Amino acid sequence: MAMTYTCHGAAREVTGSCHLIECGDRRVLVDCGMFQGGRATEEANSQPFDFDPASIDALLLTHAHLDHCGRIPLLVREGFKGRILATSATRELARVVLLDAASLQVEDAARASRRGEHVAPLYDLDDALQALDFFEPGIGYDHPVTVAPGIEARFQDAGHILGSASIVLRLDDGETRRSIVFSGDLGNPGRPLLRDPVPAPAADYVVMECTYGDRPHRSLPDSVGELYAAIRETTRRHGNVVIPTFALERAQELLYYLHLGLRDGAIAPHVRVFLDSPMAISATEIFRRHPECFDTAFLAELRHGDPFAMEGLHFTRDTAESMAINTIDSGAVILAGSGMCNGGRVRHHLKHNLWRDRSAVVFVGYAAQGTLARRIIDGAASVRVFNEEITVRAKVWTINGFSAHADRPSLLAWLGELPRRQVLLVHGEYERGMRAFGEVLAARGLAPRMPRRGERIALD
Ligand code: ZN
């Protein structure tokens, strides 16, 4: 087979994105992400790659989420010597994400060895730093670049997180020419900071995500209204609001909504807002450096001043500053990671607020099965935090409209009506988004394929 596609991750699942294109004697990867979820899923991270990393000419990275870039240090350690291409915002965010991942791996391994288990970290800071050396200077949206002889790539805005891209490949093996579009993760149109995703162009093949292919999302304005209501109600009761927050995009969007809420009087002026996450603070600084990624309305907003700034805002990088927040018993709005509460500083804030009926915990993101966030959302009467059983008395809010992933109507709008040889569905749980979205496409005569991990498909 002269030209093939092989799915090495995000096959009927939502993590571990990794796609291999072979064109003549050239090989290109799109994404090299971490598998995330329970122990069984994550075991795949330490398994050898099903291809020889040294044979890969280039890696094209759609965006900086860990499930898309997290295994790059392993790829490099196993012999990859090619180019890594990404937009400049993705490159900067990937640096923060990979260094953070490396230090978490090292901490986890140290904790395990204190328990007497011998676990080597998946990779360490040196591996991450070495991988970062392979990133080439950031490339702009919509400029075709030659990746290798016979392979040209064009990145287009995917509207998912800062710097995110869909990637359009033009392949020519000397006999055949084919085009293939990788959606990457797609955002929802109408977000405040980023531009809308650019629809898929005409192409022979489309490899697309379908995380929320089974449903429409709740409207964003309703969700923002609910967020303000949660804060108003809690401050009236003299409690604190804890918002478990993902560091990339969600934290910055929330800061912007809080900025607007305070400006427009939707939130009482005396609240104190804490961004208690070193990674989210770094990501916010990276945001400020990349106005080329912003939506026009948001750019106009920038001319009137800092859209993330507000009276009473504190960025707490140091552990001591973070701990000081625990002495506040009312009027604090605390944004802290991780979003699913399975690690990070948010656990301290939960420990100090979950048992208080005056406080509130507001969930604004996806919470996987088995995580602390999911147990609280599902109504547990008490949960274990740092080996202590805490009774849940705080009011729990779950607000669904902030998703960074396109819902079913937005996925269909991105795909459009252009004729295709084949649509391949990836990055979706089979029983949820993928099968349902497959049925919608089948009804339109598209007969999508849903490759399994390791499945190789001829692009003939
Ligand atoms: Zn993503």
Side-chain angles (χ1 to χ4, degrees):
M1 286 189 275
M3 225 183 263
T4 59
Y5 160 81
T6 313
C7 188
H8 286 289
R12 302 184 175 214
E13 62 201 330
V14 291
T15 65
S17 281
C18 186
H19 311 281
L20 174 67
I21 288 288
E22 294 170 277
C23 171
D25 56 358
R26 301 291 170 172
R27 311 178 102 199
V28 170
L29 276 188
V30 175
D31 292 342
C32 189
M34 191 93 97
F35 293 96
Q36 296 173 291
R39 218 171 226 232
T41 311
E42 290 179 11
E43 238 166 51
N45 291 319
S46 52
Q47 298 299 313
F49 292 97
D50 289 324
F51 49 83
D52 177 10
S55 72
I56 306 294
D57 296 282
L59 166 65
L60 311 176
L61 181 58
T62 60
H63 66 290
H65 273 149
L66 196 62
D67 64 315
H68 292 258
C69 70
R71 290 180 87 206
I72 296 176
L74 295 171
L75 190 76
V76 169
R77 204 171 66 194
E78 300 302 318
F80 171 85
K81 295 209 164 30
R83 326 165 57 185
I84 302 180
L85 300 176
T87 64
S88 63
T90 294
R91 187 171 165 240
E92 277 197 69
L93 289 173
R95 182 183 166 78
V96 175
V97 168
L98 292 178
L99 293 177
D100 181 71
S103 56
L104 286 177
Q105 311 282 350
V106 172
E107 279 169 32
D108 284 352
R111 208 171 303 125
S113 66
R114 281 199 293 275
R115 286 196 305 264
E117 299 169 36
H118 179 72
V119 185
L122 199 55
Y123 52 83
D124 60 19
L125 278 173
D126 285 345
D127 295 319
L129 286 167
Q130 192 157 17
L132 291 166
D133 286 345
F134 287 82
F135 279 74
E136 295 196 357
I139 59 172
Y141 287 121
D142 303 321
H143 297 292
V145 285
T146 302
V147 176
I151 303 178
E152 183 191 272
R154 188 168 57 76
F155 285 53
Q156 61 172 48
D157 203 330
H160 170 60
I161 62 166
L162 193 80
S164 67
S166 302
I167 299 177
V168 185
L169 291 180
R170 304 215 171 272
L171 309 171
D172 182 351
D173 66 0
E175 289 170 13
T176 318
R177 285 180 184 190
R178 290 286 175 261
S179 53
I180 182 166
V181 185
F182 289 88
S183 67
D185 287 1
L186 294 167
N188 275 299
R191 315 291 306 178
L193 274 50
L194 302 178
R195 288 187 291 263
D196 293 351
V198 174
D204 299 313
Y205 294 87
V206 178
V207 180
M208 76 181 289
E209 71 122 322
C210 55
T211 319
Y212 289 107
D214 57 342
R215 68 188 96 163
H217 290 318
R218 183 146 192 237
S219 93
L220 183 60
D222 286 354
S223 301
V224 177
E226 212 178 328
L227 172 70
Y228 294 158
I231 295 171
R232 275 198 309 269
E233 198 193 289
T234 315
T235 43
R236 228 179 279 134
R237 278 202 315 267
H238 303 290
N240 296 325
V241 180
V242 178
I243 311 181
T245 310
F246 295 100
L248 305 189
E249 204 64 38
R250 188 65 43 82
Q252 293 76 33
E253 275 190 20
L254 287 172
L255 282 181
Y256 180 55
Y257 294 131
L258 295 174
H259 161 98
L260 295 180
L262 281 162
R263 188 193 71 188
D264 302 340
I267 306 173
H270 59 269
V271 297
R272 288 198 277 166
V273 176
F274 295 88
L275 182 60
D276 187 26
S277 156
M279 179 144 104
I281 294 167
S282 300
T284 307
E285 284 160 8
I286 294 171
F287 256 75
R288 291 196 170 107
R289 287 202 289 274
H290 289 279
E292 81 281 4
C293 296
F294 296 155
D295 181 85
T296 351
F298 188 66
L299 269 176
E301 192 86 24
L302 277 178
R303 278 192 280 276
H304 300 132
D306 185 345
F308 300 125
M310 62 199 102
E311 194 85 34
L313 172 66
H314 307 268
F315 282 5
T316 49
R317 244 185 220 281
D318 298 344
T319 316
E321 292 171 325
S322 170
M323 283 164 67
I325 302 171
N326 294 329
T327 61
I328 302 173
D329 63 24
S330 77
V333 175
I334 307 157
L335 312 179
S338 74
M340 299 198 213
C341 310
N342 44 343
R345 292 179 176 179
V346 76
R347 292 175 300 166
H348 293 279
H349 304 302
L350 290 174
K351 186 178 155 185
H352 286 272
N353 287 283
L354 262 181
W355 58 273
R356 305 174 67 220
D357 57 9
R358 290 185 291 154
S359 286
V361 184
V362 180
F363 291 98
V364 290
Y366 181 77
Q369 284 287 358
T371 57
L372 176 56
R374 184 65 168 261
R375 284 196 287 283
I376 300 171
I377 290 170
D378 288 346
S382 72
V383 289
R384 258 190 123 62
V385 186
F386 293 122
N387 292 322
E388 208 179 300
E389 200 65 27
I390 312 263
T391 307
V392 181
R393 289 205 194 87
K395 177 159 180 184
V396 176
W397 300 67
T398 309
I399 308 180
N400 288 323
F402 291 106
S403 177
H405 278 278
D407 62 1
R408 177 192 283 187
S410 311
L411 289 169
L412 288 170
W414 179 82
L415 185 61
E417 302 284 338
L418 299 169
R420 328 272 183 198
R421 267 169 212 271
Q422 183 80 69
V423 175
L424 303 165
L425 295 182
V426 297
H427 202 293
E429 288 176 27
Y430 180 71
E431 292 298 339
R432 295 176 72 182
M434 187 171 284
R435 196 163 70 175
F437 194 61
E439 283 162 10
V440 175
L441 297 188
R444 298 176 174 216
L446 279 169
R449 287 179 75 159
M450 302 169 196
R452 291 179 185 277
R453 212 188 283 177
E455 192 169 336
R456 196 170 185 221
I457 293 171
L459 304 178
D460 49 16

Short mmCIF file of all heavy atoms in Angstrom, two decimals, residues 133-175:
data_model
loop_
_atom_site.label_atom_id
_atom_site.label_comp_id
_atom_site.label_asym_id
_atom_site.label_seq_id
_atom_site.Cartn_x
_atom_site.Cartn_y
_atom_site.Cartn_z
N ASP A 133 13.01 20.59 22.27
CA ASP A 133 14.02 21.02 21.29
C ASP A 133 13.63 20.68 19.85
O ASP A 133 14.17 21.25 18.92
CB ASP A 133 15.37 20.35 21.59
CG ASP A 133 16.04 20.97 22.79
OD1 ASP A 133 15.61 22.07 23.20
OD2 ASP A 133 16.97 20.34 23.33
N PHE A 134 12.72 19.72 19.67
CA PHE A 134 12.35 19.31 18.31
C PHE A 134 11.26 20.18 17.70
O PHE A 134 10.95 20.06 16.53
CB PHE A 134 11.92 17.84 18.29
CG PHE A 134 13.08 16.89 18.44
CD1 PHE A 134 13.61 16.58 19.68
CD2 PHE A 134 13.68 16.33 17.31
CE1 PHE A 134 14.70 15.72 19.82
CE2 PHE A 134 14.76 15.47 17.43
CZ PHE A 134 15.27 15.17 18.68
N PHE A 135 10.66 21.04 18.54
CA PHE A 135 9.62 21.93 18.00
C PHE A 135 10.27 23.00 17.12
O PHE A 135 11.19 23.67 17.54
CB PHE A 135 8.86 22.62 19.13
CG PHE A 135 7.79 21.78 19.76
CD1 PHE A 135 8.11 20.72 20.61
CD2 PHE A 135 6.45 22.05 19.52
CE1 PHE A 135 7.11 19.94 21.19
CE2 PHE A 135 5.44 21.28 20.11
CZ PHE A 135 5.77 20.22 20.94
N GLU A 136 9.77 23.14 15.91
CA GLU A 136 10.27 24.20 15.03
C GLU A 136 9.53 25.49 15.37
O GLU A 136 8.49 25.45 16.03
CB GLU A 136 10.05 23.80 13.57
CG GLU A 136 10.88 22.58 13.23
CD GLU A 136 11.02 22.35 11.72
OE1 GLU A 136 10.42 23.10 10.93
OE2 GLU A 136 11.74 21.41 11.38
N PRO A 137 10.04 26.64 14.89
CA PRO A 137 9.32 27.90 15.15
C PRO A 137 7.86 27.75 14.71
O PRO A 137 7.57 27.08 13.73
CB PRO A 137 10.06 28.90 14.26
CG PRO A 137 11.42 28.33 14.11
CD PRO A 137 11.26 26.84 14.14
N GLY A 138 6.97 28.38 15.47
CA GLY A 138 5.54 28.21 15.24
C GLY A 138 5.12 28.57 13.83
O GLY A 138 5.67 29.48 13.21
N ILE A 139 4.14 27.83 13.31
CA ILE A 139 3.68 28.15 11.96
C ILE A 139 2.30 28.80 12.03
O ILE A 139 1.53 28.56 12.96
CB ILE A 139 3.67 26.92 11.04
CG1 ILE A 139 2.77 25.84 11.59
CG2 ILE A 139 5.06 26.36 10.83
CD1 ILE A 139 2.61 24.70 10.61
N GLY A 140 2.03 29.65 11.06
CA GLY A 140 0.78 30.42 11.07
C GLY A 140 -0.37 29.62 10.48
O GLY A 140 -0.17 28.61 9.81
N TYR A 141 -1.60 30.09 10.76
CA TYR A 141 -2.77 29.47 10.17
C TYR A 141 -2.80 29.76 8.67
O TYR A 141 -2.38 30.83 8.22
CB TYR A 141 -4.05 30.06 10.77
CG TYR A 141 -4.33 29.62 12.20
CD1 TYR A 141 -4.44 30.56 13.22
CD2 TYR A 141 -4.53 28.28 12.51
CE1 TYR A 141 -4.74 30.16 14.53
CE2 TYR A 141 -4.83 27.88 13.81
CZ TYR A 141 -4.93 28.82 14.81
OH TYR A 141 -5.21 28.43 16.10
N ASP A 142 -3.28 28.80 7.92
CA ASP A 142 -3.62 28.98 6.50
C ASP A 142 -2.44 29.18 5.55
O ASP A 142 -2.63 29.65 4.43
CB ASP A 142 -4.64 30.13 6.32
CG ASP A 142 -5.90 29.88 7.14
OD1 ASP A 142 -6.34 28.71 7.20
OD2 ASP A 142 -6.40 30.84 7.76
N HIS A 143 -1.22 28.86 6.02
CA HIS A 143 -0.08 28.90 5.10
C HIS A 143 0.38 27.47 4.83
O HIS A 143 0.79 26.78 5.76
CB HIS A 143 1.10 29.68 5.71
CG HIS A 143 0.79 31.10 5.96
ND1 HIS A 143 0.59 32.00 4.93
CD2 HIS A 143 0.60 31.79 7.12
CE1 HIS A 143 0.31 33.19 5.45
NE2 HIS A 143 0.30 33.10 6.77
N PRO A 144 0.34 27.01 3.57
CA PRO A 144 0.80 25.66 3.30
C PRO A 144 2.30 25.53 3.61
O PRO A 144 3.07 26.44 3.31
CB PRO A 144 0.56 25.47 1.80
CG PRO A 144 -0.27 26.63 1.37
CD PRO A 144 -0.09 27.73 2.37
N VAL A 145 2.67 24.43 4.29
CA VAL A 145 4.10 24.16 4.54
C VAL A 145 4.44 22.77 4.02
O VAL A 145 3.65 21.84 4.13
CB VAL A 145 4.47 24.21 6.05
CG1 VAL A 145 4.54 25.61 6.57
CG2 VAL A 145 3.51 23.38 6.89
N THR A 146 5.65 22.64 3.43
CA THR A 146 6.09 21.32 2.99
C THR A 146 6.66 20.60 4.20
O THR A 146 7.61 21.08 4.83
CB THR A 146 7.16 21.47 1.89
OG1 THR A 146 6.56 22.22 0.83
CG2 THR A 146 7.58 20.10 1.36
N VAL A 147 6.07 19.47 4.53
CA VAL A 147 6.46 18.73 5.72
C VAL A 147 7.60 17.77 5.38
O VAL A 147 8.55 17.61 6.12
CB VAL A 147 5.25 17.94 6.26
CG1 VAL A 147 5.64 17.08 7.44
CG2 VAL A 147 4.11 18.88 6.62
N ALA A 148 7.47 17.12 4.23
CA ALA A 148 8.46 16.17 3.71
C ALA A 148 8.16 16.11 2.21
O ALA A 148 7.08 16.54 1.79
CB ALA A 148 8.27 14.81 4.37
N PRO A 149 9.09 15.58 1.40
CA PRO A 149 8.79 15.51 -0.03
C PRO A 149 7.47 14.77 -0.28
O PRO A 149 7.26 13.69 0.26
CB PRO A 149 9.98 14.73 -0.59
CG PRO A 149 11.08 14.95 0.39
CD PRO A 149 10.42 15.08 1.73
N GLY A 150 6.55 15.42 -1.01
CA GLY A 150 5.26 14.78 -1.30
C GLY A 150 4.20 14.99 -0.24
O GLY A 150 3.08 14.50 -0.38
N ILE A 151 4.54 15.69 0.83
CA ILE A 151 3.55 15.92 1.89
C ILE A 151 3.51 17.41 2.26
O ILE A 151 4.51 17.98 2.70
CB ILE A 151 3.87 15.11 3.17
CG1 ILE A 151 3.94 13.61 2.83
CG2 ILE A 151 2.82 15.37 4.25
CD1 ILE A 151 4.30 12.71 4.00
N GLU A 152 2.32 17.99 2.03
CA GLU A 152 2.16 19.41 2.36
C GLU A 152 1.05 19.53 3.40
O GLU A 152 0.05 18.82 3.33
CB GLU A 152 1.76 20.16 1.09
CG GLU A 152 1.62 21.64 1.25
CD GLU A 152 0.96 22.26 0.01
OE1 GLU A 152 1.70 22.59 -0.94
OE2 GLU A 152 -0.28 22.39 0.01
N ALA A 153 1.25 20.41 4.38
CA ALA A 153 0.25 20.58 5.44
C ALA A 153 -0.21 22.02 5.50
O ALA A 153 0.56 22.95 5.23
CB ALA A 153 0.85 20.19 6.78
N ARG A 154 -1.47 22.18 5.86
CA ARG A 154 -1.99 23.53 6.12
C ARG A 154 -2.78 23.45 7.43
O ARG A 154 -3.62 22.56 7.60
CB ARG A 154 -2.89 23.98 4.98
CG ARG A 154 -3.33 25.42 5.05
CD ARG A 154 -3.96 25.87 3.72
NE ARG A 154 -5.08 25.04 3.33
CZ ARG A 154 -6.30 25.11 3.89
NH1 ARG A 154 -6.54 25.98 4.84
NH2 ARG A 154 -7.26 24.30 3.49
N PHE A 155 -2.46 24.33 8.37
CA PHE A 155 -3.17 24.36 9.66
C PHE A 155 -4.30 25.39 9.53
O PHE A 155 -4.08 26.48 9.01
CB PHE A 155 -2.22 24.82 10.78
CG PHE A 155 -1.22 23.76 11.21
CD1 PHE A 155 -0.40 23.12 10.29
CD2 PHE A 155 -1.09 23.42 12.55
CE1 PHE A 155 0.52 22.16 10.68
CE2 PHE A 155 -0.17 22.45 12.97
CZ PHE A 155 0.63 21.83 12.04
N GLN A 156 -5.48 25.01 9.96
CA GLN A 156 -6.56 25.99 9.99
C GLN A 156 -7.21 26.01 11.37
O GLN A 156 -7.19 25.01 12.09
CB GLN A 156 -7.55 25.75 8.86
CG GLN A 156 -8.26 24.41 8.89
CD GLN A 156 -9.38 24.31 7.85
OE1 GLN A 156 -9.17 24.65 6.68
NE2 GLN A 156 -10.55 23.87 8.29
N ASP A 157 -7.78 27.15 11.73
CA ASP A 157 -8.27 27.37 13.10
C ASP A 157 -9.37 26.38 13.46
O ASP A 157 -10.35 26.24 12.74
CB ASP A 157 -8.79 28.81 13.22
CG ASP A 157 -8.78 29.29 14.66
OD1 ASP A 157 -8.93 28.46 15.56
OD2 ASP A 157 -8.61 30.51 14.87
N ALA A 158 -9.19 25.69 14.59
CA ALA A 158 -10.19 24.71 15.05
C ALA A 158 -11.06 25.27 16.17
O ALA A 158 -12.01 24.62 16.60
CB ALA A 158 -9.51 23.42 15.51
N GLY A 159 -10.73 26.49 16.69
CA GLY A 159 -11.57 27.16 17.68
C GLY A 159 -11.79 26.38 18.97
O GLY A 159 -12.79 26.58 19.65
N HIS A 160 -10.86 25.53 19.35
CA HIS A 160 -11.04 24.65 20.51
C HIS A 160 -10.35 25.21 21.74
O HIS A 160 -10.97 25.47 22.76
CB HIS A 160 -10.51 23.26 20.12
CG HIS A 160 -10.39 22.29 21.23
ND1 HIS A 160 -11.46 21.87 21.98
CD2 HIS A 160 -9.31 21.62 21.71
CE1 HIS A 160 -11.04 20.98 22.88
NE2 HIS A 160 -9.74 20.82 22.74
N ILE A 161 -9.02 25.40 21.65
CA ILE A 161 -8.28 26.15 22.68
C ILE A 161 -7.30 27.06 21.92
O ILE A 161 -7.14 26.91 20.70
CB ILE A 161 -7.51 25.25 23.67
CG1 ILE A 161 -6.43 24.42 22.96
CG2 ILE A 161 -8.46 24.36 24.45
CD1 ILE A 161 -5.43 23.78 23.92
N LEU A 162 -6.63 27.93 22.65
CA LEU A 162 -5.68 28.84 22.02
C LEU A 162 -4.70 28.05 21.14
O LEU A 162 -4.09 27.09 21.60
CB LEU A 162 -4.91 29.60 23.10
CG LEU A 162 -4.11 30.79 22.60
CD1 LEU A 162 -5.00 32.01 22.41
CD2 LEU A 162 -2.98 31.13 23.57
N GLY A 163 -4.55 28.47 19.88
CA GLY A 163 -3.58 27.84 18.98
C GLY A 163 -4.06 26.56 18.33
O GLY A 163 -3.34 25.97 17.51
N SER A 164 -5.25 26.08 18.66
CA SER A 164 -5.69 24.78 18.15
C SER A 164 -5.93 24.81 16.65
O SER A 164 -6.32 25.83 16.09
CB SER A 164 -6.95 24.33 18.87
OG SER A 164 -8.03 25.17 18.54
N ALA A 165 -5.69 23.68 16.00
CA ALA A 165 -5.79 23.63 14.55
C ALA A 165 -6.38 22.32 14.06
O ALA A 165 -6.22 21.28 14.69
CB ALA A 165 -4.40 23.80 13.93
N SER A 166 -7.07 22.42 12.93
CA SER A 166 -7.33 21.25 12.10
C SER A 166 -6.19 21.22 11.10
O SER A 166 -5.61 22.27 10.80
CB SER A 166 -8.65 21.38 11.34
OG SER A 166 -9.72 21.58 12.24
N ILE A 167 -5.84 20.05 10.60
CA ILE A 167 -4.70 19.96 9.69
C ILE A 167 -5.12 19.33 8.37
O ILE A 167 -5.71 18.24 8.36
CB ILE A 167 -3.54 19.18 10.34
CG1 ILE A 167 -3.10 19.90 11.62
CG2 ILE A 167 -2.37 19.03 9.37
CD1 ILE A 167 -2.00 19.19 12.41
N VAL A 168 -4.85 20.04 7.28
CA VAL A 168 -5.20 19.56 5.95
C VAL A 168 -3.91 19.08 5.29
O VAL A 168 -2.95 19.85 5.15
CB VAL A 168 -5.80 20.70 5.10
CG1 VAL A 168 -6.28 20.17 3.75
CG2 VAL A 168 -6.93 21.40 5.85
N LEU A 169 -3.87 17.79 4.92
CA LEU A 169 -2.66 17.25 4.27
C LEU A 169 -2.91 16.99 2.80
O LEU A 169 -3.96 16.45 2.43
CB LEU A 169 -2.26 15.93 4.94
CG LEU A 169 -1.73 15.96 6.36
CD1 LEU A 169 -1.40 14.55 6.82
CD2 LEU A 169 -0.50 16.85 6.45
N ARG A 170 -1.95 17.39 1.98
CA ARG A 170 -1.98 17.02 0.56
C ARG A 170 -0.83 16.04 0.33
O ARG A 170 0.32 16.35 0.63
CB ARG A 170 -1.83 18.24 -0.34
CG ARG A 170 -2.86 19.28 -0.05
CD ARG A 170 -3.37 20.06 -1.25
NE ARG A 170 -4.51 20.87 -0.81
CZ ARG A 170 -5.78 20.45 -0.80
NH1 ARG A 170 -6.10 19.26 -1.27
NH2 ARG A 170 -6.75 21.24 -0.36
N LEU A 171 -1.19 14.86 -0.16
CA LEU A 171 -0.21 13.77 -0.29
C LEU A 171 -0.01 13.44 -1.76
O LEU A 171 -0.96 13.41 -2.55
CB LEU A 171 -0.74 12.51 0.43
CG LEU A 171 -1.21 12.71 1.87
CD1 LEU A 171 -1.91 11.44 2.39
CD2 LEU A 171 -0.04 13.08 2.77
N ASP A 172 1.26 13.18 -2.11
CA ASP A 172 1.59 12.84 -3.49
C ASP A 172 2.75 11.84 -3.45
O ASP A 172 3.85 12.19 -3.05
CB ASP A 172 1.99 14.13 -4.24
CG ASP A 172 2.31 13.87 -5.70
OD1 ASP A 172 2.38 12.68 -6.11
OD2 ASP A 172 2.50 14.85 -6.44
N ASP A 173 2.47 10.58 -3.82
CA ASP A 173 3.54 9.57 -3.74
C ASP A 173 4.20 9.34 -5.11
O ASP A 173 4.90 8.35 -5.31
CB ASP A 173 3.02 8.26 -3.16
CG ASP A 173 2.00 7.59 -4.07
OD1 ASP A 173 1.69 8.15 -5.15
OD2 ASP A 173 1.49 6.51 -3.71
N GLY A 174 3.94 10.25 -6.04
CA GLY A 174 4.53 10.12 -7.38
C GLY A 174 3.55 9.49 -8.36
O GLY A 174 3.65 9.71 -9.57
N GLU A 175 2.58 8.74 -7.83
CA GLU A 175 1.57 8.12 -8.69
C GLU A 175 0.17 8.65 -8.38
O GLU A 175 -0.60 8.95 -9.26
CB GLU A 175 1.55 6.60 -8.47
CG GLU A 175 2.78 5.90 -9.01
CD GLU A 175 2.84 4.45 -8.57
OE1 GLU A 175 1.83 3.92 -8.05
OE2 GLU A 175 3.89 3.84 -8.73
#
